[in-house]
Amino acid sequence: MMNVPLTVGSLLERAEKYFPKKTVVSRTHSGIQRFTYKEIGERTRRLMSAIKKLGLQTGERAGTMAWNHHRHLETYFAIPGMHAVLHTINIRLSPEHIVYIINHAEDQVLFIDEDLVPLVEKIADQIPTVKAFIIMTDQAELPKTTLQPAYSYEQLLAEGNPQEAFMTDIDENDLAGMCYTSATTGNPKGVIYSHRGIVLHSYALGLADTTALSESDVAMPVVPMFHVNAWGMPFANTWFGSTQVLPGPRFTPKVLAELIAEEGVTITAGVPTIWLGLLKELETGNYNTSSLRAVLCGGSAAPRGIIHAFETKFKVPFLHAFGMTETSPLATVARLKSYQSDLSEEEKLDQRAKQGMIVPGLEMKVINDQGEVNWDGADMGELLIRGPWIADEYYRDDRTEQAFQDGWLYTGDVATVDEEGVIKLVDRTKDLIKSGGEWISSVDLENALMGHEAVFEASVVAVPHPEWQERPVACIVLKDGFDEETMKQELMDYLSPQFAKWWLPDDIIFMKEIPKTSVGKFLKRELRAQLEDYFMKQN
Ligand code: ADP
């Protein structure tokens, strides 16, 4: 067979050629704008020529600090398209970590959304590799800034060449993108994506048994474009010619609900906390969500209760998937097999709340001290994954050795596998609760709690215990109108029949908000610290 390199630029070239009329709907600071793929293609080519003129060289990194919108989409293709490396920076990291990753990646150029300029101004004297700041704004004038030299994105485009060609002389194994993932301790770890990995991952998103992305979709990635490339959707959706809806800066659940209804979104993707917020908004009853064929949920376990609520109350199909920054991210998807149609509704929901089966193209195994675990849904071990869109190192980082061994990625996630080969994540190694030598899954308790009608959010963490080593404590945010005093006992009574006695939380603590990570997951490290304070004060 021919050995034709798989390159990122070719994805947009296809959209330009075959879907010039299809559109990208982009919400920016000044409202909603619409562009055809013909226009996006031309703008991307202009951008490519402009950043070459600014001096960006093959293999060098260009950072982006931006929300989900058309300009960010253009950088997705212009930077790899000229054989440089797209480094999407998580703007919600601490300033210290942002400084670290810009320096570690040695970014030469930074693309910055106008509202994030003040953030960059504060760190500008600590990022010496950056030679140009390109500001993304709808305004004709650049905002006042101390950043030097600062360029207007639109001005650069105006001066660029609309026919600039995507580079073809690219080895498909060359770097196309990078994204840093937060570590439990220490600095973030850099994951690098090759052209080949991105293209193969895009194929995977198009399979009928995974997310089935296609031309007929109106796809809205809510997951940020600075978090694992918005799960690869901008690449795949462009390639397939789908309509894309990019929800822009600082959106609220209301904005998302309106975009779904007004643009006829068919598939949207994000972490469970986003869907909890959307669910609350949909309950106002003001929105038509009948266009949705899938709400794709990953990043943390999808609570059974959310799946049930979306599907029964709003007739919106829910799709649970698992992945990591290191896995591009699509790794497993929870779908029923055709012969499982006769399961009861409860059993179906149980199965679909698991993380699912490894997608075609990847391999997985779950191991513990005795070797590979039995596929019995009970034996627990660490999940290992390998395949052509799985990273094989952390960028210039000696933590590589621990996570990548014998050709496998050690995920740090503890899982079981059932007879069908479906994995269920029990916990992250670091979040498992070790009580009296046995393991308690915080995830199982959280999912059960979030199935209760009074619970908005629940997070269960370990607190140190003199006798049992660790014990679970549940932190709960109640929905409006429920009373803390009465709910404490009611929630305990609700959990009792579902779990062994020693699994039940020692305490339930009510909070106004659960601290979250930069990508909207429950921040258990912070929660554990808060609880330590809480118990110290009580004793
Ligand atoms: P981090 O959360 O460490 O910043 P990632 O976004 O790469 O980085 O998160 C990957 C981790 O998120 C996985 O290792 C796993 O623990 C968790 N995760 C992802 N998807 C799911 C899911 N569907 N269910 C449970 N946990 C998930």
Side-chain angles (χ1 to χ4, degrees):
M1 297 286 140
M2 294 180 188
N3 192 359
V4 180
L6 306 173
T7 59
V8 169
S10 68
L11 307 181
L12 177 57
E13 272 180 314
R14 183 168 190 272
E16 287 178 289
K17 196 166 172 186
Y18 297 105
F19 307 105
K21 294 182 265 188
K22 295 286 305 278
T23 53
V24 172
V25 181
S26 175
R27 177 176 166 269
T28 65
H29 286 284
S30 51
I32 294 201
Q33 303 183 44
R34 290 166 203 277
F35 298 87
T36 62
Y37 279 117
K38 182 168 184 289
E39 289 164 329
I40 295 283
E42 191 186 302
R43 287 168 56 87
T44 302
R45 290 169 189 276
R46 286 175 179 276
L47 178 61
M48 245 187 329
S49 78
I51 46 182
K52 276 189 210 164
K53 262 190 247 157
L54 281 182
L56 188 69
Q57 306 279 328
T58 299
E60 287 185 339
R61 273 72 63 203
T64 61
M65 299 185 73
W67 305 100
N68 293 13
H69 51 58
H70 65 288
R71 296 190 181 96
H72 207 175
L73 182 70
E74 289 154 6
T75 67
Y76 264 50
F77 295 97
I79 297 168
M82 63 147 291
H83 208 174
V85 183
L86 166 76
H87 171 205
T88 52
I89 298 167
N90 182 344
I91 56 179
R92 300 209 185 97
L93 291 177
S94 66
E96 296 75 38
H97 279 165
I98 294 181
V99 167
Y100 170 82
I101 66 177
I102 293 175
N103 286 327
H104 190 259
E106 299 170 298
D107 289 333
Q108 303 293 310
V109 173
L110 273 189
F111 288 88
I112 312 163
D113 262 355
E114 58 187 312
D115 62 330
L116 302 172
V117 167
L119 195 158
V120 183
E121 283 175 339
K122 288 198 192 95
I123 58 168
D125 59 344
Q126 300 169 63
I127 46 175
T129 59
V130 179
K131 297 193 188 69
F133 300 91
I134 302 170
I135 299 174
M136 295 162 143
T137 169
D138 294 334
Q139 310 305 322
E141 296 278 305
L142 268 192
K144 269 209 159 36
T145 176
T146 55
L147 295 175
Q148 284 297 334
Y151 299 88
S152 151
Y153 183 93
E154 292 299 327
Q155 189 59 39
L156 288 180
L157 251 56
E159 293 160 10
N161 171 14
Q163 268 110 34
E164 186 75 15
F166 289 102
M167 299 259 284
T168 48
D169 182 20
I170 292 180
D171 180 331
E172 62 176 10
N173 294 304
D174 285 348
L175 272 58
M178 68 191 305
C179 181
Y180 283 72
T181 178
S182 46
T184 326
T185 52
N187 285 316
K189 300 175 282 190
V191 173
I192 39 188
Y193 303 111
S194 64
H195 282 265
R196 175 183 156 85
I198 290 174
V199 174
L200 291 176
H201 181 259
S202 303
Y203 270 114
L205 287 173
L207 299 177
D209 289 334
T210 66
T211 61
L213 292 185
S214 82
E215 186 275 334
S216 59
D217 274 317
V218 178
M220 180 168 81
V222 178
V223 49
M225 290 174 77
F226 53 75
H227 187 219
V228 213
N229 300 325
W231 297 351
M233 286 175 76
F235 292 121
N237 285 123
T238 301
W239 196 21
F240 302 152
S242 325
T243 301
Q244 293 183 66
V245 179
L246 302 173
R250 305 177 197 279
F251 53 77
T252 57
K254 185 165 188 291
V255 167
L256 297 180
E258 283 168 1
L259 284 170
I260 291 169
E262 284 160 22
E263 303 297 334
V265 169
T266 60
I267 180 165
T268 179
V271 294
T273 46
I274 295 282
W275 305 136
L276 281 170
L278 181 66
L279 207 51
K280 210 167 159 186
E281 182 64 28
L282 294 184
E283 272 160 10
T284 61
N286 297 335
Y287 306 96
N288 179 354
T289 52
S290 60
S291 57
L292 277 172
R293 70 164 178 86
V295 168
L296 180 63
C297 180
S300 302
R304 225 169 159 277
I306 306 193
I307 306 181
H308 186 70
F310 267 99
E311 298 195 339
T312 53
K313 282 194 193 157
F314 301 104
K315 306 281 174 273
V316 170
F318 208 81
L319 190 57
H320 186 202
F322 157 84
M324 308 168 71
T325 307
E326 293 85 334
T327 65
S328 289
L330 183 70
T332 71
V333 180
R335 282 187 182 274
L336 295 176
K337 293 181 181 169
S338 53
Y339 56 78
Q340 289 176 318
S341 56
D342 54 355
L343 293 179
S344 71
E345 289 310 309
E346 285 299 302
E347 288 168 328
K348 282 184 187 163
L349 203 53
D350 284 341
Q351 205 61 10
R352 294 178 45 226
K354 293 182 184 177
Q355 279 64 30
M357 215 169 57
I358 194 87
V359 302
L362 300 182
E363 292 169 76
M364 68 105 199
K365 60 183 178 183
V366 176
I367 59 162
N368 60 23
D369 296 345
Q370 281 91 51
E372 273 194 60
V373 301
N374 294 315
W375 284 20
D376 58 4
D379 255 11
M380 293 179 193
E382 183 171 0
L383 174 66
L384 275 54
I385 303 181
R386 71 173 176 192
W389 57 88
I390 309 300
D392 64 355
E393 63 169 336
Y394 291 121
Y395 184 63
R396 300 182 182 164
D397 198 314
D398 55 18
R399 287 169 289 185
T400 290
E401 250 168 65
Q402 201 196 341
F404 302 92
Q405 294 176 38
D406 327 316
W408 290 89
L409 162 69
Y410 282 64
T411 63
D413 287 313
V414 179
T416 61
V417 193
D418 70 13
E419 298 77 6
E420 298 292 341
V422 168
I423 62 160
K424 176 166 187 271
L425 251 60
V426 177
D427 233 322
R428 294 190 103 164
T429 335
K430 58 177 197 275
D431 294 331
L432 264 179
I433 301 160
K434 288 136 202 145
S435 172
E438 298 286 342
W439 286 355
I440 296 174
S441 161
S442 64
V443 175
D444 280 357
L445 288 167
E446 285 160 7
N447 285 345
L449 283 164
M450 285 195 269
H452 190 283
E453 57 164 4
V455 176
F456 178 57
E457 288 177 339
S459 186
V460 176
V461 291
V463 291
H465 191 279
E467 189 177 352
W468 300 110
Q469 191 184 353
E470 287 180 352
R471 289 294 302 151
V473 167
C475 303
I476 305 275
V477 181
L478 286 177
K479 288 188 187 157
D480 296 341
F482 289 93
D483 171 56
E484 294 184 1
E485 283 303 304
T486 49
M487 282 324 296
K488 198 163 189 160
Q489 194 51 48
E490 189 173 327
L491 287 173
M492 281 296 193
D493 295 343
Y494 164 80
L495 286 180
S496 296
Q498 303 183 50
F499 294 95
K501 200 154 170 252
W502 60 275
W503 270 56
L504 296 176
D506 276 10
D507 203 350
I508 291 181
I509 293 170
F510 295 102
M511 301 188 157
K512 293 236 162 346
E513 196 185 347
I514 291 176
K516 305 208 176 59
T517 71
S518 57
V519 292
K521 304 184 192 186
F522 296 142
L523 186 52
K524 296 205 169 171
R525 198 176 349 132
E526 167 68 23
L527 207 49
R528 280 189 285 261
Q530 284 187 14
L531 287 189
E532 228 166 88
D533 277 0
Y534 175 87
F535 285 112
M536 291 250 286
K537 278 185 199 132
Q538 280 205 328
N539 292 331

